[in-house]
Amino acid sequence: MPRNIVLVGLPGAGKTTVARLVAAALGRQAVDLDDMIAERAGRSIAEIFETLGESGFRALERAATDELRHRDGLVVATGGGWATNPGCMEALAASDVIYLVVDPDEAAARVAGQGTARPLLAGADAAQKIRELLARREASYLLAGQRVDTTGVGTEIVAERVLALASGGSHP
Ligand code: S3P
């Protein structure tokens, strides 16, 4: 089986949508780690943050990642903090990890339009919060072997670029 493709990057980078498009194009399974965590926990991500705090969420994130350690051929959308969660990147090291780069202001605009609960961005000034997340996380995101800039680019085109980069990708 081909290596997993793992997408990392800020909230609003398009990881979930692009993973679905890439998986569909390759006839592979898309896995959204946040969905997996919520399913295993029987609660939404927002509820997990409320009841267990961020550290509880990170423990569940590590456990979900560990479940994928021996799987291959997947297209995995990670959560925005996954790359900084100790052990996660290492668990999926035998994957093509791709950083979806996005300008923080654009990420904030995309997230505002999505209505998805993102506890770390709750309250005022999501753009400022995303800028702070980027400052803290960029070094981890840059550990990805490859990058695709998504700023000003639609998800279909981003998916084509990911396909072109990923091993086994049969697209331009
Ligand atoms: C988080 C981002 C979320 C989700 C959780 C924590 C983060 O995923 O994993 O709310 O730390 O940035 P998205 O990147 O899909 O928003």
Side-chain angles (χ1 to χ4, degrees):
M1 274 297 265
R3 290 152 66 90
N4 296 321
I5 297 168
V6 177
L7 304 180
V8 302
L10 287 167
K15 303 178 296 289
T16 299
T17 307
V18 172
R20 282 197 200 117
L21 291 170
V22 169
L26 294 174
R28 299 215 220 155
Q29 186 186 342
V31 174
D32 185 275
L33 266 175
D34 281 345
D35 287 351
M36 203 174 144
I37 293 163
E39 210 174 277
R40 299 285 186 277
R43 317 175 230 192
S44 70
I45 299 297
E47 285 166 342
I48 294 170
F49 269 78
E50 263 167 44
T51 52
L52 305 175
E54 183 172 354
S55 64
F57 171 78
R58 297 296 168 207
L60 295 176
E61 191 174 47
R62 278 193 294 277
T65 302
D66 265 341
E67 280 191 49
L68 302 182
R69 192 184 275 273
H70 300 296
R71 306 269 309 271
D72 48 22
L74 304 173
V75 184
V76 182
T78 65
W82 179 88
T84 61
N85 191 349
C88 285
M89 225 26 153
E90 292 82 350
L92 300 189
S95 307
D96 292 320
V97 183
I98 299 177
Y99 171 24
L100 299 189
V101 181
V102 64
D103 170 77
D105 288 335
E106 184 164 328
R110 291 183 193 167
V111 166
Q114 284 176 1
T116 315
R118 287 184 163 99
L120 292 183
L121 302 180
D125 210 348
Q128 177 58 25
K129 288 182 178 136
I130 291 180
R131 276 192 286 277
E132 287 164 13
L133 290 179
L134 181 60
R136 286 209 298 274
R137 295 175 171 172
E138 193 168 26
S140 300
Y141 293 152
L142 289 170
L143 295 174
Q146 289 170 307
R147 269 173 257 175
V148 172
D149 194 351
T150 77
T151 308
V153 183
T155 46
E156 302 272 349
I157 304 287
V158 174
E160 279 176 23
R161 293 181 184 168
V162 169
L163 284 162
L165 286 179
S167 62
S170 55
H171 288 247

